[in-house]
Amino acid sequence: MRLAARLAALSALVLTAVSVGALPSSAVASSLPVASSAVASSAIASSDVASSAAVSSGVEVSSAVSAASSYAISSAAASSYAASSAVVTSYAVSSAIASSAVSSAISASAATSAPSVPLTGEVSGVSYTVSSTYTIYGDPVPTNPPSLATSPTAGEPPYNSGSGTEVGWQTLSISSYAFSSFPVVSPTPLPPVFPSYSPLYPPPVENSGSQIVPDFSDAWDVAFAKAEAFVSGLTLEQKVNITTGEYQEPILCVGNIAPVADWPGLCLQDSPLGVRDTDFNTLFPAGITVAATFNRTMMRLRGLEMGQEFRGKGVNVALGPMMNMGRVAQGGRNWEGFGTDAFLSGEAAYETVLGLQSVGVQACAKHYVDYEQEYKRTQESSNVDDRTQHEIYQKPFLRAVMAGSASVMCSYNMINDTYACENDRTLNQLLKGEIGFRGYVMSDWGAQMSTLSAVAGLDMTMAGGIHLSTPDGGSWWGPNLTAFVDNGTISMARMDDMATRIMAGYYLLGQDNNYPNVSFNASSLYDTVHDKHIDVQADHYKLVREIGGAGAVLLKNTDGALPLNKPRSIILVGSDAGNGAMGANGYSDRGGDDGILGVGWGSGTANYPYLVSPAAAIQERARLDGSSLTNWYLDWDTEGAASAVEQVDVAIVFVNSDSGEGYITVDGNWGDRDNLTLWHNADNLIQAVAAANNNTIVVAHSVGPSIIDSWAENPNVTGIIWANVAGQEAGNAITDVLYGAVNPSGRLPYTIAKALEDYGVFLILGGDNDTILSIPYTEGLFYDYRRFDQYNITPRYEFGFGLSYTTFEYYNLAVSVLPQYDPTDLALEAAWEAGVPTPQGEGSSTAFWLHRPYVQVQFEVQNTGALAGTEIPQVYVHFPTGSGEPPSLLKGFDAIYLEPGEVQTVTITIPRYELSIWDIIAQGWSKPEGSFTLSVGASSRDFRLTGPIPI
Ligand code: NOJ
């Protein structure tokens, strides 16, 4: 099966790409709602997944198979929704990366693997069917899912109910918000709410966005019931041990919770792009690269395959995804995250968490929150206003929580002068209260600052010791926490809450059921006792390559310079084309840069199993084509480069820009980039080559935006590809794009400015050892494209920009308000429509009415060129004047594969939440007064269709 088909099959929802030709808008509008028929074939047992499991080790088999099962079951559940509700609108009118080839592959797959003995059940009044043909971690498929869906204990109030503030002489209350009945789950969840009784069965992925809001509350209830039962049998010391990392040798993972009674404890391990510190693992493309795909299927599948590897190694908690917001273009860790837009970042976080957890691994959404620079990361206060906090920095965390993330990691910095890991406002009020997060908060390694952080919302300390480097310095918790509870400073109720939350995360993911043991030692690959060197890679390199191709952004292509067509002679210029001198893993935590850049540096990395350089991959192709291939890797010898490229048909200059975590300094950069100049003399090298060769193509492997104005408009630079950081298959991925095996569809997840100053938001530097830096976020909502739009600053390449080898046209915009589903929320909906802010607390992960599809945007896209390709249509909302919002905000996107001439109707929905602003007085989400419009187009500045939103 083609890889695209495999992805579509894995995505499980059979999303029929509705090819309607050029319908008039009225016809488009009247075609909805339609009955869902496609979902009938939803039980896709991806035979590819099953077979990929077979090639892997024994440990892998069960997890890979379970991936297939979870998707199959999810889609089956979705289909029963369609069957059980008279008012259901079709959620099938969308597109995976479906082409006709994909659709037929799906049908074939469905035909051979339809469930033989379907099981039916009912969750909260909604019936569903699950397949019984798959094995889930050696368990039978639950035969009675409704039993899993009951409340913790019959007759008990739901979790978080009752009210009260902790009293006594202790200095801090558990929380200053009352434990209200929030979060409130709709008592009669109707489509498109998806009551998943386990994160192992997530809602299906759709490239057009979440049409279904997952409801994991039943799963949490069950997990809490088990956790409460377990914790109730523990001594105080045992409860404390669950919360305190084991920080003295011997430990195996970067974070460890020691066994308690017959419970085996927890292994926590980096990173957001693969299993760190091991071997026989995959190094996936970084977060920034999968963000650049704007493709939810790839986001989900990357999470899923990473999850398989974490599980296969015995890791309970994968320390990702990372969702810091790229506020400062130079920020060292931006590449670990998903770019500068809160909506895109939120969608990527959501899909990654669903993917990771679908195979039973706990996700850890990090770093909460406002951690946007490496310099003095433990000695800075990010001073952020309430609206900006809600609308930008917190938003991806809300989405991660909606996906059921078991844990969240608080960050090193302060927020408004209080450390993130003892910040009652962000942890208790916002995360656990307003958002409704039911899992546990762990500290970043060494980010805990006091024992009393427990009452401010911290549940687990990592790595456990006060000092990272001096483990004998003791712990804020451990015996200190025991003493604080013993003497009443911290209540036993809070102690129980901490341990219970942690255990709930464990049960939520079913880790009490045959979870693999840790089989590596993060400190040493040569530990012959513990390191079993289990191969967890399966065929994940395929997805790595596909994401690398789909995440490469074509910025310039003059007169069809690309794709290459059997050039007679090629020269590769620049050290980024080849292998580094010390090999792929020569620098610890990838803290060096002298060859192809596949990832930045720091804890957000993994070991490469191998690293395909562009030179190696292009050489394979040159041999087939009979092209002559030479190279010039001496970045600083520009004269030599200029003479080497003369007379060559095409000169491809490979350049890069690197950054990472602040504990490593590379080439003078303390994590953050000193500037936005490409590394290794790149600007001079490119200009020298372009002066000598009028067909110069530039490929940049960059951790983020760089300033390229000295050569971007040079007419001899005929092509520019911004390839991001693509992981172990970087060379193959870029070769696919250069030669047109992949038609580029990547889009910039940030703005490339003409000058660094244009970004307007910079690193705050200076101070001495004792200084606490103040970082005022005075730009509010206005950084990256929101600032460029607001102040009419022309970027070099705008957010969302990216070219293709084909062309696309957009037609027939139709914007409508969807019929409403849930009678129980009608009053809330009406109030919102009248501009009344949501009640305090609403807006959480479980305020389904706020997150359900509300406005439907429909239009057609046609491939008007000669090559098949994928278009990324983007929806930007223009809020009413006076609302204080930026001119345009991304609120929807899709990835549509089209054959030449093909037309597809695209349907994207927008929930009320995305049409709301945060009201700082009322502390709720509200619809601002005035007229809303939206634009649909190919970037944040390339609008093709615009119309009013009738709300
Ligand atoms: C510190 C980093 O900030 C965090 O992202 C990582 O997970 C931990 N170290 C553990 O390595």
Side-chain angles (χ1 to χ4, degrees):
M1 196 187 294
R2 283 176 31 191
L3 186 56
R6 187 173 67 94
L7 281 168
L10 271 173
S11 73
L13 234 209
V14 181
L15 301 166
T16 309
V18 179
S19 192
V20 294
L23 284 180
S25 55
S26 57
V28 172
S30 65
S31 70
L32 288 178
V34 296
S36 172
S37 57
V39 284
S41 55
S42 58
I44 301 164
S46 165
S47 52
D48 267 21
V49 171
S51 60
S52 82
V55 295
S56 57
S57 68
V59 175
E60 259 302 285
V61 169
S62 62
S63 56
V65 170
S66 73
S69 65
S70 67
Y71 276 83
I73 290 168
S74 306
S75 54
S79 75
S80 77
Y81 269 149
S84 67
S85 168
V87 291
V88 72
T89 303
S90 168
Y91 308 113
V93 186
S94 181
S95 59
I97 40 182
S99 62
S100 47
V102 173
S103 303
S104 53
I106 291 170
S107 315
S109 171
T112 54
S113 55
S116 53
V117 190
L119 300 172
T120 54
E122 198 179 84
V123 173
S124 304
V126 177
S127 64
Y128 63 86
T129 306
V130 299
S131 155
S132 65
T133 52
Y134 312 111
T135 308
I136 302 173
Y137 307 143
D139 263 0
V141 173
T143 52
N144 187 15
S147 71
L148 297 174
T150 52
S151 287
T153 309
E156 270 187 13
Y159 176 75
N160 249 6
S161 69
S163 65
T165 299
E166 195 173 39
V167 291
W169 57 270
Q170 58 266 47
T171 52
L172 286 174
S173 62
I174 276 187
S175 158
S176 54
Y177 81 93
F179 283 172
S180 72
S181 57
F182 176 82
V184 180
V185 180
S186 164
T188 54
L190 293 170
V193 174
F194 182 92
S196 181
Y197 55 86
S198 164
L200 301 180
Y201 313 126
V205 63
E206 294 176 67
N207 273 335
S208 59
S210 304
Q211 305 279 313
I212 300 172
V213 183
D215 173 4
F216 288 114
S217 53
D218 285 340
W220 278 113
D221 287 348
V222 173
F224 265 91
K226 291 181 181 171
E228 280 160 10
F230 178 80
V231 170
S232 68
L234 300 181
T235 64
L236 171 59
E237 285 75 10
Q238 286 174 319
K239 293 172 192 171
V240 167
N241 285 349
I242 289 175
T243 66
T244 306
E246 198 185 14
Y247 55 95
Q248 281 164 328
E249 304 285 341
I251 50 173
L252 295 179
C253 304
V254 296
N256 304 269
I257 296 293
V260 168
D262 57 356
W263 177 65
L266 295 173
C267 162
L268 297 80
Q269 186 66 22
D270 294 308
S271 79
L273 56 66
V275 191
R276 182 184 175 207
D277 301 323
T278 62
D279 50 11
F280 302 104
N281 58 275
T282 302
L283 191 149
F284 289 81
I288 200 71
T289 311
V290 77
T293 68
F294 280 64
N295 182 315
R296 291 180 175 86
T297 304
M298 291 189 185
M299 294 167 181
R300 175 79 67 94
L301 201 43
R302 173 177 171 272
L304 186 153
E305 292 191 358
M306 289 195 302
Q308 290 173 335
E309 299 203 8
F310 279 105
R311 183 185 174 100
K313 292 282 188 185
V315 175
N316 299 87
V317 187
L319 301 174
M322 131 86 187
M323 296 107 72
N324 297 2
M325 289 305 306
R327 172 179 177 266
V328 182
Q330 290 158 264
R333 302 184 70 177
N334 291 353
W335 54 272
E336 293 184 48
F338 303 117
T340 57
D341 179 76
F343 179 79
L344 177 62
S345 181
E347 295 308 285
Y350 174 83
E351 296 297 349
T352 305
V353 170
L354 287 179
L356 273 171
Q357 297 204 153
S358 69
V359 293
V361 173
Q362 299 182 49
C364 176
K366 70 184 189 185
H367 309 86
Y368 191 69
V369 61
D370 309 324
Y371 164 37
E372 297 289 339
Q373 69 171 48
E374 286 306 280
Y375 183 73
K376 285 200 183 293
R377 65 180 178 176
T378 57
Q379 285 176 244
E380 62 98 340
S381 176
S382 297
N383 299 329
V384 189
D385 69 87
D386 194 37
R387 178 168 175 184
T388 303
Q389 188 72 289
H390 278 82
E391 294 188 20
I392 295 197
Y393 299 96
Q394 191 162 291
K395 181 170 182 169
F397 288 91
L398 168 69
R399 293 294 282 149
V401 169
M402 288 178 71
S405 187
S407 66
V408 166
M409 183 189 294
C410 51
S411 51
Y412 283 120
N413 51 292
M414 295 180 179
I415 301 142
N416 299 331
D417 293 327
T418 302
Y419 273 108
C421 291
E422 54 183 26
N423 196 311
D424 179 68
R425 170 69 182 153
T426 53
L427 299 182
N428 279 335
Q429 292 183 34
L430 299 185
L431 181 65
K432 293 180 177 176
E434 196 180 289
I435 289 182
F437 174 57
R438 297 178 67 176
Y440 58 97
V441 177
M442 70 175 74
S443 70
D444 200 340
W445 273 231
Q448 185 187 18
M449 298 294 166
S450 67
T451 305
L452 280 174
S453 51
V455 291
L458 186 70
D459 302 299
M460 176 191 280
T461 175
M462 277 291 147
I466 291 177
H467 305 292
L468 273 180
S469 48
T470 53
D472 54 358
S475 173
W476 289 116
W477 285 359
N480 283 325
L481 181 55
T482 310
F484 271 51
V485 176
D486 261 342
N487 69 19
T489 308
I490 294 171
S491 73
M492 184 61 90
R494 174 61 185 132
M495 186 69 244
D496 285 344
D497 182 42
M498 292 157 67
T500 306
R501 282 173 174 269
I502 294 168
M503 292 307 300
Y506 174 82
Y507 289 120
L508 180 77
L509 277 301
Q511 296 189 340
D512 51 332
N513 213 332
N514 293 329
Y515 205 79
N517 293 327
V518 181
S519 61
F520 64 96
N521 181 345
S523 320
S524 168
L525 285 174
Y526 307 105
D527 174 344
T528 50
V529 178
H530 300 102
D531 211 323
K532 307 283 186 251
H533 306 281
I534 289 179
D535 185 350
V536 291
Q537 300 169 92
D539 63 354
H540 298 166
Y541 68 91
K542 292 181 183 170
L543 181 67
V544 174
R545 182 171 179 165
E546 175 143 348
I547 293 174
V553 187
L554 179 66
L555 296 178
K556 182 178 182 184
N557 191 14
T558 308
D559 297 333
L562 292 169
L564 301 176
N565 183 14
K566 300 192 177 180
R568 200 129 190 275
S569 54
I570 309 167
I571 183 164
L572 309 181
V573 180
S575 56
D576 185 72
N579 293 120
M582 299 201 298
N585 297 320
Y587 298 102
S588 172
D589 287 339
R590 314 297 74 80
D593 176 6
D594 64 346
I596 165 66
L597 185 74
V599 68
W601 72 76
S603 68
T605 62
N607 290 330
Y608 286 107
Y610 59 81
L611 173 55
V612 180
S613 69
I618 292 172
Q619 180 168 292
E620 292 279 308
R621 180 60 192 246
R623 186 170 55 202
L624 294 178
D625 288 350
S627 304
S628 106
L629 180 69
T630 52
N631 63 276
W632 184 270
Y633 291 168
L634 302 175
D635 299 320
W636 299 87
D637 184 351
T638 53
E639 274 181 35
S643 75
V645 303
E646 276 178 37
Q647 311 283 329
V648 181
D649 282 356
V650 54
I652 312 177
V653 189
F654 285 86
V655 296
N656 69 40
S657 178
D658 203 357
S659 73
E661 195 173 343
Y663 67 90
I664 299 176
T665 298
V666 180
D667 213 3
N669 297 267
W670 299 8
D672 304 314
R673 285 188 285 172
D674 287 346
N675 52 52
L676 293 184
T677 309
L678 288 162
W679 286 34
H680 304 144
N681 200 31
D683 289 343
N684 293 329
L685 185 66
I686 293 165
Q687 288 178 70
V689 170
N693 188 305
N694 66 3
N695 189 18
T696 297
I697 310 273
V698 176
V699 173
H701 289 109
S702 182
V703 288
S706 297
I707 303 303
I708 59 174
D709 260 49
S710 63
W711 47 266
E713 285 189 341
N714 184 326
N716 286 355
V717 174
T718 52
I720 305 174
I721 303 177
W722 211 252
N724 293 299
V725 274
Q728 69 190 45
E729 291 278 330
N732 282 329
I734 194 62
T735 304
D736 289 343
V737 175
L738 284 167
Y739 282 86
V742 167
N743 190 346
S745 59
R747 297 292 184 265
L748 287 177
Y750 45 70
T751 301
I752 296 185
K754 286 171 173 268
L756 186 149
E757 298 69 44
D758 290 347
Y759 287 106
V761 181
F762 308 105
L763 300 171
I764 301 289
L765 303 172
D768 56 27
N769 283 350
D770 301 324
T771 307
I772 301 285
L773 289 178
S774 181
I775 304 187
Y777 284 35
T778 41
E779 76 286 351
L781 307 174
F782 298 94
Y783 75 88
D784 202 76
Y785 74 93
R786 298 170 296 269
R787 168 185 163 82
F788 285 72
D789 291 350
Q790 177 80 1
Y791 300 112
N792 286 324
I793 304 165
T794 306
R796 168 52 52 201
Y797 295 111
E798 72 270 18
F799 176 90
F801 179 76
L803 300 170
S804 164
Y805 297 148
T806 187
T807 51
F808 300 96
E809 297 283 337
Y810 291 63
Y811 315 101
N812 292 337
L813 176 66
V815 185
S816 56
V817 173
L818 289 164
Q820 300 307 292
Y821 303 108
D822 190 345
T824 57
D825 287 333
L826 286 181
L828 285 167
E829 292 171 0
W832 182 89
E833 269 144 46
V836 179
T838 54
Q840 287 196 18
E842 291 288 353
S844 78
S845 53
T846 51
F848 298 122
W849 68 273
L850 200 57
H851 297 287
R852 280 198 299 251
Y854 172 55
V855 166
Q856 177 175 277
V857 186
Q858 212 170 53
F859 50 94
E860 289 151 35
V861 181
Q862 181 174 26
N863 182 343
T864 50
L867 293 172
T870 299
E871 176 64 334
I872 309 290
Q874 298 157 48
V875 177
Y876 290 86
V877 167
H878 316 298
F879 275 68
T881 323
S883 65
E885 292 295 302
S888 307
L889 283 174
L890 181 72
K891 296 294 182 182
F893 58 86
D894 203 339
I896 309 283
Y897 177 85
L898 293 171
E899 297 291 335
E902 188 183 351
V903 182
Q904 250 187 55
T905 299
V906 180
T907 304
I908 291 173
T909 59
I910 306 175
R912 289 178 179 80
Y913 169 68
E914 298 295 351
L915 299 167
S916 303
I917 63 174
W918 181 251
D919 183 324
I920 58 168
I921 308 289
Q923 290 289 292
W925 293 99
S926 71
K927 176 166 82 76
E929 206 181 318
S931 325
F932 285 75
T933 55
L934 61 76
S935 297
V936 176
S939 83
S940 62
R941 291 190 165 213
D942 181 5
F943 298 147
R944 309 291 180 85
L945 306 168
T946 294
I949 307 179
I951 56 172

